[in-house]
């Protein structure tokens, strides 16, 4: 069975072996973040509706559970903002019914948490990982470029409401871009808001692959240490990359191609990125990438950190 709405599982920097679930069409989101590794938002919206059929997602998950070992997590992420789907609560319930021991994670930009229905939909997740990159209207518009009339105070209010009711674990991610959202005054306000939300973890991230806007610079380790000091939340960590996962030598050529195409469809990667993320042999990956370029499935883009590879078109079409 070829999966259209689930992908992986792939080694995750934070979640171990993670099976992804994508409930929206590429690229549907409430934000058009300048740093997004999935590229510019083509459907900027606040409308919750069924972007992909629930029955198809349910069928793919059933097939996966019946034919593969259980992953560590099922993670809602992918092509945009997963809470835009009104089916996310039903899919979480289905996973818990079929595989109660598998943990469920939701990666969200937190923009819809002000909606009580969304908060209820996420209530059965084990881990919710919202992001908060700005706390002032000017910075919010500059880095996140929201849909419609969405205001940052709504996002913060929604985060506070969700944190006050959610029984699972909450990890807050903050994406730092030097010169854009790392001013001391902004970070001091952010620190106070974070202490009010009181997440289990605060994870600082920065640019590692090409974003939606060219010319962006990643924060250095020194930059992130400075940010952590100003936030002063006591539970701040700098996210590390995945290393030393189990061998992937048993993976077939077809499986390797599917894993690579699913990964670079969502975000451009170097060969080194793919080696680390998918735990595949570098030599085999280089041969595969060359073949995919010859087949006009993949193209290369030279960036400061190296040669990145991305899909030319949706491999499922």
């Amino acid at each position: 069975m070829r999966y259209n709405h689930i992908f992986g599982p792939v080694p995750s920097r934070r979640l171990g072996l993670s099976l992804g679930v994508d409930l929206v069409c590429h690229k549907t989101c409430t934000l058009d973040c300048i740093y997004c590794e999935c590229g510019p938002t083509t459907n900027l919206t606040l409308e919750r509706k069924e972007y992909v059929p629930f029955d198809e997602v349910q069928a793919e998950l059933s097939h996966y559970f019946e034919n593969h070992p259980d992953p560590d997590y099922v993670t809602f992420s992918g092509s945009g903002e997963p809470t835009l789907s009104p089916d996310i609560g039903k899919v979480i319930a289905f996973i818990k019914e079929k595989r109660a021991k598998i943990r469920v994670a939701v990666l969200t930009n937190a923009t819809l948490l002000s909606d009580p229905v969304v908060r209820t939909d996420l209530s059965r997740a084990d881990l919710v990982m919202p992001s908060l990159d700005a706390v002032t209207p000017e910075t919010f518009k500059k880095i996140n470029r929201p849909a419609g009339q969405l205001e940052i105070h709504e996002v913060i209010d929604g985060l506070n409401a969700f944190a006050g009711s959610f029984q699972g674990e909450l990890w807050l991610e903050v994406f730092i871009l030097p010169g854009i959202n790392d001013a001391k005054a902004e970070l001091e306000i952010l620190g106070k808001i974070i202490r009010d939300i009181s997440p289990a973890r605060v994870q600082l991230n920065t640019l590692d692959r090409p974003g939606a806007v060219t010319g962006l610079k990643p924060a250095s380790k020194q930059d992130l240490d400075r940010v952590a000091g100003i936030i002063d939340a006591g539970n701040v960590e700098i996210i590390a990359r995945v290393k030393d996962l189990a061998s992937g030598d048993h993976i077939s050529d077809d499986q390797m191609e599917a894993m690579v195409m699913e990964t670079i469809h969502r975000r451009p990667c170097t060969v080194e990125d793919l080696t680390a993320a998918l735990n595949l042999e570098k030599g085999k990956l280089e041969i595969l990438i060359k073949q995919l370029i010859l087949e006009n499935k993949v193209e290369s883009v030279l960036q400061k950190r190296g040669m990145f590879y991305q899909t030319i078109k949706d491999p499922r079409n």
Side-chain angles (χ1 to χ4, degrees):
M1 181 177 185
R2 190 168 183 84
Y3 300 134
N4 294 322
H5 310 301
I6 67 176
F7 57 96
V10 296
S12 162
R13 288 182 294 177
R14 293 171 280 187
L15 306 179
L17 199 62
S18 174
L19 179 69
V21 178
D22 200 348
L23 296 182
V24 297
C25 305
H26 191 277
K27 165 88 173 10
T28 301
C29 197
T30 56
L31 302 177
D32 184 20
C33 299
I34 61 176
Y35 60 78
C36 186
E37 297 167 352
C38 296
T41 296
T42 52
N43 183 20
L44 185 63
T45 182
L46 296 171
E47 182 183 7
R48 296 194 82 203
K49 69 176 187 179
E50 186 179 73
Y51 291 92
V52 301
F54 169 73
D55 291 346
E56 292 183 13
V57 177
Q58 186 181 48
E60 290 185 16
L61 284 168
S62 292
H63 183 272
Y64 185 89
F65 291 150
E66 291 167 4
N67 292 276
H68 299 87
D70 289 347
D72 298 312
Y73 274 87
V74 174
T75 304
F76 291 84
S77 61
S79 299
E81 174 51 42
T83 61
L84 280 169
S85 170
D87 294 328
I88 189 169
K90 289 197 298 181
V91 180
I92 293 173
F94 174 75
I95 294 166
K96 290 299 183 182
E97 176 187 336
K98 292 293 183 179
R99 292 291 190 276
K101 293 183 179 179
I102 297 178
R103 291 174 61 82
V104 171
V106 180
L107 276 63
T108 174
N109 61 26
T111 51
L112 299 180
L113 293 180
S114 57
D115 184 344
V117 176
V118 174
R119 297 199 295 268
T120 299
D121 286 344
L122 300 189
S123 61
R124 293 192 65 187
D126 299 284
L127 171 64
V128 174
M129 304 167 68
S131 59
L132 183 65
D133 309 318
V135 291
T136 61
E138 297 79 12
T139 306
F140 183 51
K141 290 176 182 177
K142 188 172 184 179
I143 191 171
N144 298 128
R145 301 189 296 189
Q149 302 301 311
L150 182 65
E151 299 289 346
I152 187 59
H153 70 84
E154 300 175 60
V155 180
I156 295 169
D157 289 347
L159 264 169
N160 273 301
F162 183 72
S165 62
F166 184 52
Q167 298 299 305
E169 198 165 2
L170 189 70
W171 298 356
L172 185 69
E173 181 174 346
V174 180
F175 201 98
I176 297 297
L177 291 175
I180 296 176
N181 68 336
D182 66 340
K184 183 179 180 182
E186 179 101 12
L187 294 174
E188 287 175 342
I189 298 171
L190 174 63
K192 181 181 184 307
I193 290 169
I194 288 174
R195 291 189 291 273
D196 289 342
I197 295 170
S198 191
R201 302 186 189 182
V202 180
Q203 300 186 316
L204 299 184
N205 205 351
T206 193
L207 201 68
D208 186 49
R209 304 182 181 95
V213 172
T214 59
L216 300 176
K217 295 181 179 180
S220 66
K221 176 66 163 52
Q222 184 178 9
D223 292 331
L224 296 176
D225 286 340
R226 168 185 166 271
V227 169
I230 296 172
I231 289 175
D232 191 27
N235 54 350
V236 180
E237 59 186 14
I238 296 171
I239 298 172
R241 298 175 65 186
V242 165
K243 295 183 183 293
D244 301 325
L245 290 170
S247 172
D249 291 342
H250 63 285
I251 297 172
S252 70
D253 290 345
D254 287 344
Q255 288 174 317
M256 184 186 298
E257 178 176 341
M259 291 168 66
V260 169
M261 292 297 285
E262 287 286 2
T263 302
I264 65 176
H265 174 63
R266 287 169 170 81
R267 53 184 62 85
C269 296
T270 65
V271 169
E272 289 74 17
D273 292 334
L274 291 168
T275 300
L278 304 179
N279 196 41
L280 299 174
E281 184 182 326
K282 184 177 180 181
K284 290 181 180 180
L285 271 173
E286 289 174 336
I287 294 171
L288 173 62
I289 290 290
K290 290 178 182 178
Q291 183 63 39
L292 293 174
I293 291 174
L294 290 173
E295 293 174 358
N296 202 36
K297 294 180 180 179
V298 168
E299 63 184 351
S300 60
V301 179
L302 183 61
Q303 300 285 338
K304 184 176 181 180
R305 195 165 64 80
M307 189 66 73
F308 285 78
Y309 299 94
Q310 60 192 27
T311 54
I312 294 176
K313 55 187 177 182
D314 191 331
R316 296 186 293 261
N317 291 339

